[in-house]
Amino acid sequence: MTTNIFSFGLGIGTQNKDGDWLEVFYPSPVTNLTSATFSALTENTNYTNLNATLILDESDLNRLHMGLLKAGNIEQAELASKLKSSTQPIVLCVLEEDSAPESPADVYLKLQLISHRLVKPHEINLTGMFGLLINTAWTSEGPIDVRELADRQLNARIEGKTIEVFSVDKFPKMTNFVVPTGVRIGDAARIRLGAHLGEGTTVMHEGFVNFNAGTLGTSMVEGRISAGVVVGNGSDLGGGCSTMGTLSGGGNIVIAVGDECLIGANAGIGIGLGDRCTVESGLYITAGSKVTVLDENNETVTVIKARELSGQSDLLFRRNSSTGAIECKTNKSAIALNSALHAN
């Protein structure tokens, strides 16, 4: 029997000098809790709130370990036991419902649920998340509040060491928290936490995947998957191409790419694509672009704005090399994608 509990995570957190959370690492977050597991959480910790974040001490972890064993949740019981040796704060985050996050610990749990493939992009409430996160330096000594970075760097130099700063951002790279099975990643710094990479996906060195976005299956990504954009199984994004994200002026159109699509090198879309669509290399289609729709004899049927074609399948978008007009016709050939490239 399951409860209606949305998720929980047991992990290790990092705080700044003021006690604010910079990040929380949840090795194995859980969804669809059993009633026995939820009882173990509530009866062996000080959990009282609807959505709560607790800091656990060794005594809490001992009780939780035994309670989870009794509940039959061996994986989480073993995790509780391992965390007893941590010198960093131990965090228990319980979300009884998928409401807007209330703390950085909530945000990090939800982002890791996406990257662990426990939920898909757009299936989880991330409203207001940016206001909860602290701008952080991601360094060779772990996350550091940017306001504390200069002192930490000076102290390191005095000790004859150097702190290398990899990025300054509210988001870390995904692979420091989650490495999904069955994927290849050319440059891990270009995949943000909260990305969803489907089994069989390859992201080449110039590929980029933002949070709450990604692939649902086997895909070759050599271009940019912006925030909120979801790419279907078997689709390829060519080198230098881009997808207009929900944070980049995408308007009210949800940008998505269906199955078995090809977006050519240096092309881009500001509309959704259905299945088996092709966008010619170098062609950028925005929602307001005028598109000449052709019949099977290449005769003009109508001229419409691209947004009216958003989400439709079996379309080929190209630019007329003589007139410069954007043209669209039925994509009968439906590009056969290279199966060898998709092999993982």
Side-chain angles (χ1 to χ4, degrees), residues 189-236:
R190 298 180 64 84
I191 315 296
R192 290 174 113 189
L193 182 63
H196 183 289
L197 298 186
E199 185 91 22
T201 289
T202 295
V203 183
M204 296 300 288
H205 294 75
E206 293 303 315
F208 172 84
V209 187
N210 214 330
F211 75 96
N212 202 27
T215 63
L216 301 181
T218 300
S219 287
M220 172 64 69
V221 181
E222 297 181 87
R224 179 183 180 86
I225 301 179
S226 299
V229 177
V230 180
V231 176
N233 182 51
S235 291
D236 281 6

Side-chain angles (χ1 to χ4, degrees), residues 3 6 26 31 39 44 71-72 75 77 88 106 115 128 136 172 174 182 188 211 220 232 258 305 314 323 330 342:
T3 69
F6 174 64
Y26 301 102
T31 56
S39 295
N44 295 287
E75 180 183 16
Q88 293 288 98
D106 293 4
S115 292
T136 302
M174 182 190 73
F211 75 96
M220 172 64 69
K305 290 186 176 181
D314 298 300
T323 67
T330 301
H342 289 276

Side-chain angles (χ1 to χ4, degrees), residues 208-210 213-214 223-231 237 240-248 250 255-257 263 267-271 273 284-285:
F208 172 84
V209 187
N210 214 330
R224 179 183 180 86
I225 301 179
S226 299
V229 177
V230 180
V231 176
L237 276 67
C241 78
S242 65
T243 54
M244 189 178 291
T246 53
L247 301 180
S248 305
I255 308 301
V257 178
I263 303 178
I269 56 170
I271 62 171
L273 300 179
Y284 206 115
I285 308 168

Side-chain angles (χ1 to χ4, degrees), residues 15 62 124 131 192 218 254 317 321:
Q15 296 170 296
N62 282 329
I124 197 166
R192 290 174 113 189
T218 300
V254 176
F317 293 92
S321 59

Side-chain angles (χ1 to χ4, degrees), residues 253 270-271 285-291 304-308 326:
I253 297 178
I271 62 171
I285 308 168
T286 63
S289 297
K290 294 291 185 66
V291 179
I304 58 176
K305 290 186 176 181
R307 63 169 53 92
E308 297 182 48
I326 299 173

Side-chain angles (χ1 to χ4, degrees), residues 56-65 80 83-84 90:
L56 306 183
D57 59 23
E58 186 173 353
S59 175
D60 295 324
L61 287 168
N62 282 329
R63 294 197 309 273
L64 187 57
H65 170 70
L83 292 178
K84 288 188 289 185
I90 304 305

